Amino acid sequence: MVCNCMLVYVWAMVMISVSPLLVNAHICSDDFLIKAESLNIITNCNLLSLGAEFAWKFDNTSRQLDVAVGARLESPTAWLAWGLNPDGPHMAGTRTLMGVKHQTGLAPRKFNITDATKRHCMLRPSDNIGLNITNFTFSYLHDIMYYMIRATIILPDSYNASRANIVWQIGEAAVSADKPRMHSTSLDYLDASRTINLITGERLSLDPNQRTRMRTMTALRLKPKRADEYRTYWNMYHHFLGYSLIVVAAVNIFQGISIIESGAHHHWRWSYVGALGLMGAVATSLELYSWLKFRKATKNRESLKITQSSATAPEPHS
């Protein structure tokens, strides 16, 4: 009974997490939607993460893609970027349109994002990013306080319009028009990508928020490496699931004993209680031993640091 309830609970959590894939919602804020309509870009409009919004219109015959990407940039200098990646929904390889808000004004820039960017190498603007782009502008919409990237792209045949990988990003600092500084490395920023069908508007991947929750609620498939950012979540899940299964097993055994035992004698029940008590005492002793060992190692490290500091300190002059 208890196991069945847990299975139902886990299945419900999974369905709640993946339910956004089952619905094709085309939702933007009213203000941004009105602006997109004024630009005749009204086929599709989606809210993105990081406070960004994306509207587009795609003609599959001419391969013309009209895009408008907007967000509020609160910092004195900042940047907004959006791009297409023919290889997958990730940063490296993205052909990027960027609007830079710097100290002297606004500037549209094009970038090819490479693996070198992960190593904090400086981005360099490029006029040729492998896309035929016209009407590329970056402007401030005073009435709705949005910064907007606007462009028309002729999509090459090598780009699959039915599985387009879009990537977006926001940074809070820019030294100049050509020098946007690194964005935040928190999970929301690292997950700013999506695979969509430009023709139908269908989402073919989880939204970043749902994907973040899934990767954080369920790092289940493989045990992450120690340096992996999900190792902490995996450890939490692993320990929680283990303790939960122990509790469920104990409850099920008690239920089984209550079924087979009858009358006033409860020898099996009290024997099992004794066994649980013994195992609990052993587990408590081991936990206490581990804690004392950890405390001793911590004190030894602190003593070693003090000794090393004293040894390297300069002697006072006479």
Side-chain angles (χ1 to χ4, degrees):
M1 182 70 174
V2 177
C3 289
N4 289 338
C5 292
M6 284 197 67
L7 288 174
V8 170
Y9 173 77
V10 171
W11 179 249
M13 292 299 99
V14 171
M15 290 303 297
I16 289 172
S17 299
V18 303
S19 59
L21 287 176
L22 307 178
V23 180
N24 295 326
H26 308 298
I27 303 172
C28 283
S29 66
D30 291 340
D31 288 339
F32 186 77
L33 188 58
I34 291 172
K35 287 297 178 182
E37 289 175 346
S38 69
L39 296 171
N40 196 29
I41 304 176
I42 56 174
T43 305
N44 296 280
C45 195
N46 282 183
L47 285 171
L48 306 178
S49 62
L50 308 180
E53 303 190 52
F54 170 46
W56 80 95
K57 181 176 67 173
F58 181 67
D59 185 334
N60 197 30
T61 303
S62 64
R63 305 279 293 177
Q64 178 172 312
L65 173 65
D66 294 292
V67 301
V69 185
R72 287 189 171 93
L73 303 179
E74 306 292 346
S75 301
T77 64
W79 53 268
L80 169 66
W82 176 92
L84 292 167
N85 192 329
D87 302 323
H90 45 74
M91 180 182 70
T94 302
R95 280 62 167 171
T96 304
L97 306 180
M98 181 181 293
V100 184
K101 172 188 176 185
H102 55 96
Q103 294 178 347
T104 59
L106 305 179
R109 291 290 184 269
K110 304 173 190 175
F111 293 92
N112 268 321
I113 308 298
T114 65
D115 284 324
T117 308
K118 295 181 180 180
R119 300 190 293 271
H120 303 282
C121 295
M122 181 65 68
L123 281 173
R124 298 186 182 278
S126 174
D127 289 331
N128 183 14
I129 61 172
L131 293 174
N132 182 0
I133 300 171
T134 57
N135 303 323
F136 177 31
T137 61
F138 180 57
S139 59
Y140 179 60
L141 310 177
H142 294 82
D143 50 344
I144 64 172
M145 296 183 291
Y146 260 53
Y147 291 84
M148 178 182 281
I149 292 174
R150 168 79 173 90
T152 298
I153 303 169
I154 303 301
L155 207 63
D157 292 335
S158 57
Y159 284 70
N160 186 353
S162 62
R163 290 194 63 87
N165 304 303
I166 65 168
V167 182
W168 62 94
Q169 199 55 255
I170 290 178
E172 295 184 348
V175 178
S176 66
D178 296 336
K179 295 181 180 179
R181 289 181 175 172
M182 182 68 181
H183 61 77
S184 171
T185 56
S186 65
L187 201 55
D188 286 345
Y189 287 81
L190 298 179
D191 268 348
S193 62
R194 182 183 297 169
T195 302
I196 61 175
N197 187 327
L198 292 175
I199 303 169
T200 65
E202 180 184 4
R203 300 178 187 180
L204 305 176
S205 65
L206 284 171
D207 285 352
N209 291 334
Q210 280 77 35
R211 184 166 62 246
T212 297
R213 285 199 295 269
M214 286 287 287
R215 292 170 66 187
T216 300
M217 174 185 77
T218 59
L220 304 177
R221 289 190 300 171
L222 298 174
K223 184 177 181 180
K225 296 180 180 179
R226 291 185 179 276
D228 195 285
E229 59 182 318
Y230 296 105
R231 178 62 179 261
T232 300
Y233 300 113
W234 189 92
N235 288 338
M236 292 168 58
Y237 154 77
H238 181 73
H239 286 90
F240 174 76
L241 182 61
Y243 290 132
S244 299
L245 291 177
I246 290 173
V247 172
V248 170
V251 172
N252 275 346
I253 290 175
F254 275 118
Q255 289 180 341
I257 291 174
S258 66
I259 293 172
I260 64 174
E261 279 191 341
S262 61
H265 302 288
H266 303 286
H267 303 297
W268 283 106
R269 183 184 300 274
W270 288 112
S271 298
Y272 186 59
V273 168
L276 285 179
L278 178 61
M279 289 188 291
V282 171
T284 302
S285 301
L286 292 175
E287 287 290 341
L288 181 61
Y289 172 76
S290 299
W291 174 251
L292 293 175
K293 187 176 180 180
F294 171 75
R295 291 290 299 168
K296 183 178 180 181
T298 302
K299 289 182 179 180
N300 289 340
R301 285 196 298 268
E302 292 176 351
S303 299
L304 181 61
K305 288 181 180 179
I306 294 174
T307 302
Q308 291 175 343
S309 299
S310 300
T312 55
E315 297 183 356
H317 296 285
S318 57

